[in-house]
Amino acid sequence: MRDIKVKVHPSKSNLKKEDQLAWKIAEIASDKAKIDKDAVDMVINRIIDNASVAIASFNRRPVVSARAMALAHSRKSGATVFGLNPKIKVDCEWAAWANGTAVRELDYHDTFLAADYSHPGDNIPAILAVAQQKGCNGKDLIKGILTGYEVQVNLVKGICLHEHKIDHIAHLGPSVAAGLGSLLNLKTDLIYQSVQQALHITVSTRQSRKGEISSWKAFAPAHAGKLAIEAVDRCMRGEGAPSPIYEGEDSVIAYVLSGPDKEYTVPLPNVNEPKRAILETYTKEHSAEYQSQALIDLARSLHKKISNVSDIENIVIETSHHTHYVIGTGANDPQKMDPKASRETLDHSIMYIFAVALEDGAWHHVKSYTPKRAQRKSTVELWQKISTKEDPKWTEKYHDPNPKNKCFGGKVVITMKDGSTISEEINVADAHPAGKRPFLRNEYINKFKSLTEGIISKKESDRFLKCVQNLPKLKAEQYMRDLMSRYKNKLVYDANSGEIRDDRKHMSMLEDYWMPRAEGGRGTEISTLPGGQNLGDIEDVLYFQKKLYKSLGVPISRLESEASY
């Protein structure tokens, strides 16, 4: 890895594009880095994860709206939309819009937290839609997704958006553009322009996650993905972008973020270094804001120790700065304590989430958010007793530069009416890579089956899971099967004439021998023996002559001039 220093430069300094962050991003997007096996496995896991939550949200209003908009833009060779017949295709940017909304709606897919927040799985719908429309193979899709994750994760490590009340999709636009560059094998300069354009048009405020949170929270990343596709499209047609978008006098850093005196440090892999940032990200077991995941697990555990929640005097959650100010009482959002608040608001209220999980000893992506559940009298009473406060210890753990040491939990102190207290803490969610039950392939598959049961058939479920787990070979394998069929020796029955027709390809090969071998690996070797070595030896000719005459039934004695009678 290398650290890229990023700050504002006056126009008169004429900063070289090779020294700009957007160019550094474009360099790794266009490099020839080897693909890491563990990273490939995680790409497959996250595609399964995205499909799980997208299908589960199929009939929710925002998803229905986005899908209806997409269907107004049909395209014969376009991309598919979750839940629809695969023969129905739309323009890739509109497929990204519909599918991205479906993925984000339940707040139930992966996350990465550092200087800023992110859901890197938001890269997948846009990159996948373009891959479908352009007929890309599985390997190129994996490459594009790995780049998308790499760029977004490292931007999130280096540049904080939320302190300036800018929504985190400002890092998603550039990451999708870079991912598309890798997918389509575009030139560095074209990706450089695309990344800048995508950033320029995806900067928006955090009001989408503040106060009364609306359905735009689901639409926002889908919109960024759609805009990034359009940015790449324009740049492929020869258009440019505002430049330098990060370092210019009137750039994003100069007037949207910390200003001309601030220097940011963004880590990026070296050119041709494998992209492994996806392995630092983590998915959700529960449908709620990520910083609530560990606290839901803790509440489920505490449920067994408290027989009656009405005996509770108050609950204080000691946690990180981010948790306290984004989903806790530090946000000063009265809507987070309102029983009639929207689902989008409730999934950003740790007070509500902890109350329900503690009372029920469980969490459900639908049942835990119904108006009836939110307005239950006992829940409302418990909810109002919960507060959060920042503990510097948890803030320090949250920002630990070592991914293995990062913590996203907190300490819960429950004071009972009799004066006794119960105090427990948790570092990470059970499903986190460092948790009690880390999510591996089986857990992703179980999540998929659980969320899609009753929505899609078992046959379709099995087909998808088989297909996605074969992603690295997709299309290449189909190409080989087509090739084998084309050159296969075969006799065909002609239904029109009733005759057997010889359909062999005589000029291609006499027999079929297909020897699979992994890229860069070794398998069965087939060597061609040199021909024409003995053409001057009459014995070879005589050998075949005798065979010919014998097959014709001619007595050999009649042909041998030297034979005696």
Side-chain angles (χ1 to χ4, degrees), residues 156-209:
V156 168
K157 287 179 180 179
I159 299 177
C160 180
L161 300 170
H162 73 89
E163 68 175 321
H164 303 288
K165 312 308 177 188
I166 299 300
D167 196 14
H168 59 65
I169 64 169
H171 287 330
L172 177 62
S175 67
V176 170
L180 293 175
S182 290
L183 170 77
L184 300 175
N185 296 303
L186 301 179
K187 299 292 185 183
T188 305
D189 189 67
L190 200 155
I191 301 173
Y192 160 72
Q193 297 292 350
S194 301
V195 166
Q196 294 190 108
Q197 249 199 55
L199 172 60
H200 185 68
I201 58 181
T202 53
V203 174
S204 59
T205 72
R206 280 200 80 253
Q207 190 60 43
S208 57
R209 301 167 202 280

Side-chain angles (χ1 to χ4, degrees), residues 51 64 129 192 208 213 219 226 271 342 354 366 392 426 432 460 524 531 539 543 554 561:
V64 173
Y192 160 72
S208 57
I213 303 175
F219 287 117
K226 177 178 179 290
V271 174
S342 65
F354 194 85
V366 176
I426 187 171
H432 187 276
E460 174 61 13
T524 302
E539 288 83 358
Y543 171 81
V554 178
S561 58

Side-chain angles (χ1 to χ4, degrees), residues 64-78:
V64 173
S65 297
R67 190 164 60 241
M69 294 173 71
L71 288 172
H73 301 273
S74 62
R75 183 189 184 103
K76 186 177 180 180
S77 59

Side-chain angles (χ1 to χ4, degrees), residues 480-518:
M480 287 304 299
R481 281 198 294 266
D482 292 343
L483 198 65
M484 291 164 66
S485 176
R486 190 181 314 145
Y487 290 106
K488 191 173 184 179
N489 293 339
K490 53 189 175 181
L491 297 176
V492 178
Y493 172 72
D494 190 334
N496 295 322
S497 64
E499 297 177 350
I500 300 296
R501 186 176 73 249
D502 185 350
D503 203 32
R504 288 176 291 182
K505 307 294 183 182
H506 295 284
M507 296 303 293
S508 56
M509 52 180 66
L510 297 176
E511 293 294 343
D512 301 317
Y513 294 103
W514 300 90
M515 304 295 180
R517 60 192 297 179

